[in-house]
Every structure is written in structure tokens, then in C-alpha cells.
Amino acid sequence: MTPEKPGRREFVDTLTKASLLLTLPGITPTAAFWQPAEPVTVGQVMDLILKTIPNAPFPKTVDTLKSGTADQKVTGIVSTMFATMDVIEQTARLGANFIIVHEPTFYNHADETDWLDKDEVFKRKHDLLAKHGIAVWRFHDYWHSHRPDGIRMGVVTALGWEKYMDSTNPRIITLPAPLPLKQIITHAKEKLGIAMMRVVGDPAQSCRRILLMPGASGGRSHILAIQQDKPDVILCGEISEWETAEYVRDARQQGQKLSLGILGHIMSEAPGMQWLVPWLQPKLPGMKITYIDSKNPFMYL
Ligand SMILES: [Zn+2]
């Protein structure tokens, strides 16, 4: 997965020269548009990204190539939550051949496929990727390990709450003034494009301190964070119904003013893959990088 060292050094040199060129007076960005001496490979893009992640590469990670090879030349990059059938088709139509995803492609955390060998859905997706020669790389553990966490930055930015983020404890948002829970929920739905949210609490409860936990970090981590951070409301991605929700229900029945709003795993993390585009683009000038919204698969009947 890691390309030969000399190739990578050459590539970084080209990038450095290109960015110097961009700063020269009289040269417009278009004129200086980066033309790599050699096409960039999937492995080179991965390496370029990994250089920004503390302690990368990790010895154990789910962030591996799920399709394609490290030495294939990149014609364009797509960032998305899931490489769905639609996203794969759209990528091919864009002329791109490298999809960076946050979540699994083959329906389990490690993207193990031996158990799906004879499965029609798996085979058709696998064949579609092969037909279009598309590489898929999962960018999950590394993106969360970036400082700041790329997923968190994406969702906080989408919510317009960057300025309310606690710099020493980024999972805490302190609003400038308390708002009724109902208003916070409406804001989150609107900004994140969420159709419906499940809430435990009182819509009229006045909330100022928000514990924001996108994704699915698990009941224990939610509950430990509630203990530590004492929020008015926890907004999280995905829960097991018998964990965080029951804890919040008990706390409320004991008289605590604590509420829970469930954003959904996908809708709470997708903005982080959108945030990847402006982050990655300056590192790869001239490369076409597109965000595709893989969307929420659920409808509410
Ligand atoms: Zn995540």
C-alpha cells in the first residue's frame, strides 16, 4: 500500500515547487495550475494524507483499501460516507477512480468478504467497482485521529458552532445564551439535513451546555462523558436503545435536567467527509476532488 520512497519524495517536491509557484507575483493560479510530472497514484494520495495524522501509519486499523490498488493512477477523487451503488456510478460518471469513504463498503466493520462470497448483492457491488476500476479507501480511524478530528470539525462547522467549541474539551459546545431544547433540535435538523430526530427529554428545557458525540461511540463512552462534562443535553449519532437512552431516562426520573437528541450515525458524520474536500484540495492542487452525499437510506413512514 505504501509506494516506493523515491517516488513519494519526488511527488512531495513537485507539490512544494507548485505551491511556491502559486505565490509568485504575476502568475495567476490558473497559469500555475499544478501539472504533476507524473500522474499521482492512490498510494501517494494515501501517504500524503497519512503524513498529517499523528502516529500514522497505525499497525492495526480498518483504514485499508477495499478495492483497487495503491499503484493505480488517480483520475479524480470522491469523498463520501459510503461507497453505495449510486456513489460508485456517480464517481464513474465524473471520470474519477478513487473513493475515500468513512464507513465500510461491505457491511461489516473490517470489510471481511469471505462470508459474502456467494452473496448476490456483494458480488454486484464488487463487480461494479472492478468494471470501473475504482479504488476505495476507508478513512475512518485516521480522520478521527487527525487533530482536530476531521469528522467533528465537519459537523461543528455545519452546525455553525465552531466559535462555541471548548478548546480544551472539543466535545463540549457552550451556546452564548441558553435555548429551549426544541430550538436546538430544530437547528440541528435544519443544518444537518435530518428529517427526524428521536429525543429523550423536555422540549422546553433550557439548554446551554451541549455534549456533541457524532458517530457511534457506544453507551459507556456517552455515559462517562455525561458524568465528566455535565451537559444539559447530549447530541449523539447512534445509540443502542438499551444504553444511553435508558441512562438519560433514569437520570430524568431522578430529577436531573438532562436530555438526549439522536442525530443518527450517518447524518452526524457525513459533514466530516464534506469537510475533507477543502482540507485535501490545497494538498493536491489540480486534482478534481468532489464530495458526494451518499444520503440517509431511511424513510420515515
Ligand atoms: Zn466516524
Side-chain angles (χ1 to χ4, degrees):
M1 242 182 323
T2 312
E4 313 265 293
K5 290 283 176 208
R8 172 172 142 182
R9 208 169 297 130
E10 219 172 76
F11 170 64
V12 171
D13 277 348
T14 316
L15 278 187
T16 315
K17 278 177 208 147
S19 46
L20 283 177
L21 200 60
L22 282 171
T23 63
L24 290 178
I27 296 184
T28 65
T30 328
F33 216 50
W34 179 59
Q35 292 295 332
E38 282 174 51
V40 184
T41 65
V42 163
Q44 282 171 322
V45 173
M46 287 161 63
D47 262 11
L48 183 78
I49 292 174
L50 292 195
K51 280 202 330 198
T52 71
I53 311 293
N55 305 317
F58 302 160
K60 211 172 160 245
T61 175
V62 291
D63 291 2
T64 55
L65 275 180
K66 313 301 179 185
S67 165
T69 60
D71 58 11
Q72 83 185 61
K73 312 267 189 272
V74 179
T75 59
I77 298 174
V78 161
S79 171
T80 187
M81 269 299 270
F82 290 95
T84 65
M85 295 297 284
D86 272 354
V87 168
I88 297 167
E89 294 284 14
Q90 283 186 60
T91 301
R93 279 201 297 276
L94 284 168
N97 68 347
F98 184 19
I99 307 180
I100 302 178
V101 293
H102 189 61
E103 294 298 359
T105 301
F106 298 120
Y107 329 114
N108 67 104
H109 189 51
D111 279 301
E112 283 157 359
T113 56
D114 43 348
W115 64 291
L116 291 168
D117 237 6
K118 293 180 175 59
D119 184 275
E120 193 57 32
V121 175
F122 160 72
K123 271 196 289 192
R124 286 186 62 173
K125 188 177 203 177
H126 178 272
D127 292 352
L128 186 67
L129 285 165
K131 179 182 130 193
H132 293 301
I134 291 176
V136 176
W137 180 43
R138 187 160 179 209
F139 188 44
H140 178 275
D141 300 349
Y142 289 126
W143 202 207
H144 282 299
S145 304
H146 181 265
R147 289 294 163 260
D149 177 328
I151 293 292
R152 176 171 298 279
M153 284 314 293
V155 65
V156 170
T157 306
L159 287 162
W161 287 348
E162 308 97 295
K163 47 193 179 300
Y164 311 140
M165 230 171 140
D166 185 329
S167 57
T168 55
N169 182 3
R171 66 188 181 201
I172 284 291
I173 304 288
T174 310
L175 298 178
L179 288 177
L181 175 65
K182 177 85 187 351
Q183 210 170 314
I184 294 173
I185 298 296
T186 305
H187 177 85
K189 284 171 67 181
E190 235 173 66
K191 296 290 176 185
L192 303 180
I194 298 170
M196 185 208 76
M197 270 179 73
R198 291 183 294 164
V199 174
V200 178
D202 171 7
Q205 186 201 324
S206 176
C207 300
R208 189 168 180 208
R209 196 168 160 80
I210 301 170
L211 171 60
L212 182 63
M213 298 187 78
S217 56
R220 270 178 202 240
S221 91
H222 293 154
I223 292 161
L224 290 171
I226 292 170
Q227 265 178 30
Q228 209 174 23
D229 298 335
K230 309 255 176 298
D232 300 315
V233 57
I234 167 172
L235 292 183
C236 62
E238 182 168 350
I239 63 153
S240 298
E241 290 184 4
W242 44 278
E243 293 176 336
T244 316
E246 284 309 309
Y247 179 87
V248 172
R249 177 148 75 163
D250 277 348
R252 293 187 61 77
Q253 289 180 356
Q254 290 167 16
Q256 280 196 43
K257 287 199 167 20
L258 171 69
S259 293
L260 163 71
I262 303 166
L263 303 162
H265 191 149
I266 299 172
M267 304 315 271
S268 73
E269 289 204 313
M273 292 312 279
Q274 193 163 12
W275 202 73
L276 178 66
V277 176
W279 177 86
L280 184 58
Q281 189 67 77
K283 296 173 176 56
L284 288 165
M287 177 70 75
K288 191 175 177 196
I289 309 175
T290 311
Y291 172 71
I292 297 181
D293 185 359
S294 55
K295 301 207 176 86
N296 190 351
F298 303 108
M299 62 174 75
Y300 303 94
L301 301 176

